[in-house]
Amino acid sequence: HGTGEHRGRCTVEQRPLPLAALGCADQRCIGALCPRGCDRIRRGHRILAGEARARGGDELQRQTALARRRLERLADGEVRLVYSDKRAGGAQVSVRARAVIGADGAKSRVASQCIPGGEEVPCVIAYHEIVASPPSTGEGGFDPARCDVWFQGRISPDFYGWVFPHGERTSIGMGTAQGDVSLTECTQRLREAAGLLDAETVRREGAPIPLKPLKCWDDGRNVVLAGDAAGVVAPASGEGIYYAMLGGRL
């Protein structure tokens, strides 16, 4: 959409962030496949399609992932974060802070412990497979300069599927709020339809995406939420990079 394109361009252009560091590819158009599966709507606008994490950020996140987190309020008004450090074999670590920013994604533990209603955000489960981008297969097939969005029940009964090239890698996946839908089977159908069934699979990932923001993003003292933890996404698409970056700036 024009509004989304404007937001995306502003997000990148207003910050001194090189596209290579964001893992972005310069895309020329969007393809939207309707329920009948035969029509493709193309937008010729120049857009940016970027991965949610910086190049190398996936590995950093895995290395520094925290487990069994809990927040404790201290008598002097500060907050103590107690967590298990996976890098140290699960050793318990304690950190004191004057303020805490909960940027721990959907189903935020910070939100559930500190913000009223923080555990009640409805979510869809998104799943994608990162594959090695093949060469362009021509008209109607895979195009490394085009993002495809699939609105078809066989791909997702209540959300959508996507094929988002990021240069040497492509994200292909779908989301749903229905617990009896096989994410991997639907993604395999999408890979076959998109001509990516034989593409090398680099990794597989899944995560919840919030569907609406929390009514309150802070506890009135020294805990505040940001990004997906606050449920701040575009409700029609689940896009949250713009809101996360804007929230961080604010």
Side-chain angles (χ1 to χ4, degrees):
H1 303 289
T3 303
E5 177 196 352
H6 175 71
R7 288 202 307 264
R9 292 182 63 85
C10 289
T11 298
V12 175
E13 292 175 358
Q14 291 177 355
R15 292 157 177 78
L17 302 174
L19 297 186
L22 290 174
C24 294
D26 194 359
Q27 305 297 330
R28 308 280 176 184
C29 63
I30 300 174
L33 285 89
C34 70
R36 293 183 179 179
C38 58
D39 298 324
R40 185 188 302 276
I41 304 171
R42 292 197 176 187
R43 293 188 178 275
H45 303 296
R46 188 182 185 89
I47 65 168
L48 294 173
E51 292 180 287
R53 290 181 289 270
R55 201 178 292 269
D58 291 335
E59 185 60 30
L60 178 63
Q61 185 183 49
R62 294 189 184 101
Q63 291 177 357
T64 59
L66 311 182
R68 294 187 294 277
R69 290 161 285 175
R70 74 175 186 273
L71 291 171
E72 302 173 350
R73 294 207 171 276
L74 305 178
D76 59 4
E78 291 193 350
V79 179
R80 177 164 56 208
L81 170 65
V82 182
Y83 65 93
S84 298
D85 189 345
K86 293 182 179 180
R87 298 171 301 175
Q92 184 170 287
V93 179
S94 177
V95 178
R96 290 174 61 109
R98 288 179 295 175
V100 173
I101 299 174
D104 50 341
K107 303 292 186 182
S108 164
R109 294 190 182 183
V110 175
S112 64
Q113 294 179 58
C114 301
I115 309 298
E119 70 285 350
E120 300 174 357
V121 178
C123 294
V124 299
I125 300 300
Y127 170 82
H128 75 161
E129 297 179 358
I130 302 297
V131 304
S133 299
S136 175
T137 57
E139 183 69 24
F142 175 77
D143 185 344
R146 186 188 69 230
C147 293
D148 284 344
V149 180
W150 294 64
F151 298 99
Q152 294 184 8
R154 66 192 182 97
I155 304 300
S156 172
D158 55 348
F159 203 56
Y160 64 89
W162 65 83
V163 179
F164 293 161
H166 305 304
E168 296 179 356
R169 300 285 186 263
T170 292
S171 166
I172 178 167
M174 50 78 66
T176 181
Q178 299 185 18
D180 58 348
V181 173
S182 172
L183 304 177
T184 55
E185 289 181 7
C186 289
T187 300
Q188 284 301 301
R189 294 191 200 109
L190 179 54
R191 288 186 63 161
E192 181 177 9
L196 294 171
L197 192 60
D198 297 327
E200 176 191 357
T201 301
V202 178
R203 65 180 183 273
R204 299 176 174 87
E205 298 173 329
I209 296 178
L211 291 178
K212 68 176 183 178
L214 287 170
K215 294 182 179 180
C216 182
W217 302 351
D218 67 271
D219 68 345
R221 289 180 285 182
N222 51 3
V223 176
V224 64
L225 304 177
D228 282 10
V232 187
V233 299
S237 66
E239 183 271 317
I241 299 175
Y242 166 78
Y243 302 102
M245 295 185 71
L246 178 60
R249 184 183 184 188
L250 296 175

